[in-house]
Amino acid sequence: HVLEKEKKLGCHGGVASSVAIRTVSFKNLQKLEPGLLWTTELTPDQARTLHRHTQRSGAIDFFVSHCWRGDNHLDNAFGAVVRRLGGDDALFATLKEQELYNQLLMHACVFLRIPEEQMLAAELWIDRVCVPQFDARAKRQCVLNLNTYIQSARSLIVLMNARYLCRLWCLYEWTCFLRSHSPAHIFVGFWSFLSAKTTEPGMGSLEDGNFVSVFLDAVRQLSLAKAECLVAADRAVLVRKVEQDYVSPAAFERYAQTTVIALVARDLISGVAKYDPDMFSLYMQPWLDLSRELGYAELAAVLEGFGAVETYKSCKGDRDSYNQKLCDFADTRLYPYLDSEKQRALK
């Protein structure tokens, strides 16, 4: 299999034979009409079009976790420009598409050590495509199997806009995956949402909008009790699941916060530090400050220990060498710290 290397890392793979599953290859994903995949409201015909690009599969390489709704601050910041693009929903769709490709072709290739050209064969599970949204009965069955899909996936890609951390289902997918996987297999797509920069034909460029504070507040205010959930019955089930697995709601929240901060910082180190050291400091320092504010001083010290800008300079611009040093750092320092947090949080 194209992602056979992941099995050596102790990762799951393959779905129970009693559970039917459909996936979409990254290659087929690229054939979809731009914007269709992430539009908030799907018509039955659109849903059928998406589902036709799937195939039966015995393995999930990447489970894609995302929030269906966009962030209000994008519309507030860009106003008329966002409406000219087709509304906040259209901008959100563009940003999600950017981040999915970024995670598959950049971070996943780096940390899983997979050649970019092989990534086209990766099999993804995305609810918008793989769940028959036009068939209520089949859709319900997929929801019932969600836990199996998540735990059977080899890796998790999170398209993390600020609202993601306020949604109970999203938090559940995040922590459900971490319950049985190493954080080495989570890839967090946040940069496009964080900087909110996009270019559309004939529209010019939107100026960078630094929305770090919006994300920091989302992590700071992360709460199991206050997380949004549209269906009351779902809330009861998800909260009960958390109570079964975690020492307490506070332990669940601590583990969610530490893993979010750590993996966002890891991907900032992986990407931004190589291209713009000044921008790296602008975006990285608030996450270190938040870590200490929330009482996670050890995590801040671990992250600072890599010395991203200095390490990149020592590699003399050799990105492969830098990536190798970052992978070694994550394997020996960052992931062991997160493993200790997992042991502290789980029953």
Side-chain angles (χ1 to χ4, degrees), residues 58 77 103 115 133 169-170 283 297 302 320:
Q103 293 310 306
Q133 303 292 337
W169 267 111
C170 294
Y283 283 98
V302 168
D320 289 339

Side-chain angles (χ1 to χ4, degrees), residues 8 21-22 35 42 74 142 202 244 253 298:
K8 300 177 182 178
I21 182 172
R22 301 188 71 86
L42 283 174
L74 293 177
C142 288
Q244 290 173 352
E253 291 160 3
E298 183 181 354

Side-chain angles (χ1 to χ4, degrees), residues 212-284:
V212 173
S213 62
V214 178
F215 279 76
L216 298 178
D217 285 343
V219 177
R220 186 181 287 116
Q221 297 167 12
L222 192 152
S223 167
L224 180 64
K226 296 179 181 178
E228 301 170 1
C229 189
L230 295 178
V231 181
D234 286 352
R235 172 178 289 281
V237 171
L238 295 177
V239 170
R240 185 163 61 248
K241 176 64 176 174
V242 169
E243 292 174 344
Q244 290 173 352
D245 291 343
Y246 289 84
V247 173
S248 65
F252 168 87
E253 291 160 3
R254 175 188 174 101
Y255 188 46
Q257 287 177 324
T258 53
T259 50
V260 169
I261 293 172
L263 295 177
V264 166
R266 180 200 66 183
D267 289 357
L268 282 172
I269 292 170
S270 174
V272 182
K274 291 184 290 189
Y275 300 103
D276 192 328
D278 293 333
M279 182 179 288
F280 172 74
S281 299
L282 172 68
Y283 283 98
M284 184 68 170

Side-chain angles (χ1 to χ4, degrees), residues 153-172:
R154 293 190 172 98
S155 297
L156 180 74
I157 289 180
V158 177
L159 306 181
M160 185 179 285
N161 61 319
R163 181 171 286 177
Y164 181 93
L165 297 174
C166 303
R167 302 291 300 174
L168 186 55
W169 267 111
C170 294
L171 289 175
Y172 174 74

Side-chain angles (χ1 to χ4, degrees), residues 164-188:
Y164 181 93
L165 297 174
C166 303
R167 302 291 300 174
L168 186 55
W169 267 111
C170 294
L171 289 175
Y172 174 74
E173 290 173 0
W174 176 276
T175 52
C176 179
F177 184 85
L178 282 172
R179 178 76 173 81
S180 55
H181 294 71
S182 164
H185 288 266
I186 292 188
F187 304 98
V188 187

